[in-house]
């Protein structure tokens, strides 16, 4: 049975760690798992990721940034997510269109209706079955980023206020009571968080 699982949260919330732990757990149970992330999968995705997150020599307009994240997603869905779902895989994706709503809508302050239309259109109708939102105070998440070995990107370097607005955007989304979104307490140890998430697969 194919399933589409996404992970969301502010930078440093521990999503990538949890997405990988779940992928390992489900693979260990014999499930066919395809692990992926946004942005940056596939050849086009890598090129787009590089332009948005790594290049320091151009100042990207927020609307252009929105279009680029959506372009990355449309290609990702068509090229990888959809074929894997059709092939019976459980697809685990580190970030999906909720990130666009929170980062480009609330973070950058672009008209939420426009962001919603573009973000949903870019998913080509492919909706997650379940989304784990890792809930953590912004201060704590940013402290974790300081210690992370991975190189920092342009988004990680945004000020506290930006990450706070992104967090606010996620909270607004959660307040809508969308059934697929499960809020997970993310201040705990990686193992304890993983056990919380596992409960949804027992
Ligand atoms: P994200 O993908 O949300 O940006 P990561 O999974 O990359 O977050 O984690 C960010 C940093 O915090 C990494 O250095 C990681 O090892 C560490 N980390 C992840 N989960 C936890 C946790 N539950 N407690 C403490 N540190 C964590
Ligand atoms: P990444 O290094 O993958 O960070 P993380 O491990 O926290 O996911 O960087 C991706 C960045 O891009 C992250 O700061 C969130 C941002 N982003 C958007 O602004 N809009 C989007 O639609 C997506 C998918 C990501």
């Amino acid at each position: 049975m194919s399933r589409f699982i996404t992970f969301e949260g502010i930078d440093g919330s521990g999503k990538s760690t949890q997405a990988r732990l779940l992928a390992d757990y489900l693979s260990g149970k014999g499930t066919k798992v395809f692990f992926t992330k946004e942005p940056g999968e596939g050849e086009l995705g890598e090129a787009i990721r590089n332009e948005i997150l790594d290049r320091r020599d151009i100042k990207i307009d927020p609307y252009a940034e929105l279009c680029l994240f959506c372009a990355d997603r449309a290609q990702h869905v068509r090229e990888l997510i959809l074929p894997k779902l059709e092939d019976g895989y459980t697809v685990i994706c580190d970030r999906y269109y909720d990130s666009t709503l929170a980062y480009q809508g609330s973070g950058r302050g672009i008209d939420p209706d426009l962001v919603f239309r573009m973000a949903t259109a870019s998913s080509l109708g492919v909706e997650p079955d379940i989304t784990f939102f890792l809930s953590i105070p912004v201060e704590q998440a940013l402290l974790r980023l300081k210690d992370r070995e991975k190189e920092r990107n342009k988004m990680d370097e945004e000020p506290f206020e930006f990450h706070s607005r992104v967090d606010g955007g996620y909270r607004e989304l959660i307040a809508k009571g969308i059934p697929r979104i499960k809020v997970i307490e993310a201040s705990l140890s990686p193992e304890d968080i993983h056990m919380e998430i596992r409960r949804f697969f027992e």
Side-chain angles (χ1 to χ4, degrees), residues 6-52:
T6 60
F7 280 79
E8 294 286 350
I10 56 173
D11 295 83
S13 58
K15 290 174 290 76
S16 311
T17 305
Q18 292 304 323
R20 292 228 169 255
L21 285 172
L22 181 63
D24 291 348
Y25 171 67
L26 294 178
S27 301
K29 289 213 311 184
T31 306
K32 288 202 303 183
V33 174
F34 178 69
F35 184 87
T36 189
K37 67 166 191 307
E38 289 193 357
E41 290 292 326
E43 227 173 291
L44 181 65
E46 272 181 40
I48 293 175
R49 182 184 170 96
N50 181 46
E51 295 302 315
I52 318 175

Side-chain angles (χ1 to χ4, degrees), residues 9-12 15-16 37-39 49 53 65 69-70 72-73 94-97 99-101 103-104 145 148 150-151 153 155-156 162-163:
I10 56 173
D11 295 83
K15 290 174 290 76
S16 311
K37 67 166 191 307
E38 289 193 357
R49 182 184 170 96
L53 295 176
E65 184 187 79
F69 276 114
C70 289
D72 171 79
R73 177 164 312 113
D94 184 354
R95 295 196 180 282
Y96 195 56
Y97 70 69
S99 287
T100 311
L101 305 179
Y103 280 79
Q104 279 61 55
L145 282 187
R148 186 164 69 171
K150 201 169 92 176
E151 209 175 301
N153 62 47
M155 222 51 111
D156 296 332
F162 176 80
H163 294 283

Side-chain angles (χ1 to χ4, degrees), residues 118-173:
M118 288 200 53
T120 49
S122 68
S123 70
L124 311 178
V126 178
E127 281 278 320
D129 295 300
I130 187 161
T131 297
F132 294 106
F133 170 73
L134 297 200
S135 174
I136 188 170
V138 182
E139 294 83 353
Q140 196 178 348
L142 295 186
L143 272 178
R144 283 183 187 174
L145 282 187
K146 278 197 182 148
D147 299 334
R148 186 164 69 171
E149 279 170 26
K150 201 169 92 176
E151 209 175 301
R152 292 167 76 83
N153 62 47
K154 267 162 73 176
M155 222 51 111
D156 296 332
E157 286 165 5
E158 288 288 342
F160 176 85
E161 294 69 37
F162 176 80
H163 294 283
S164 217
R165 287 198 299 276
V166 172
D167 184 58
Y170 276 125
R171 305 282 164 193
E172 275 174 34
L173 202 58

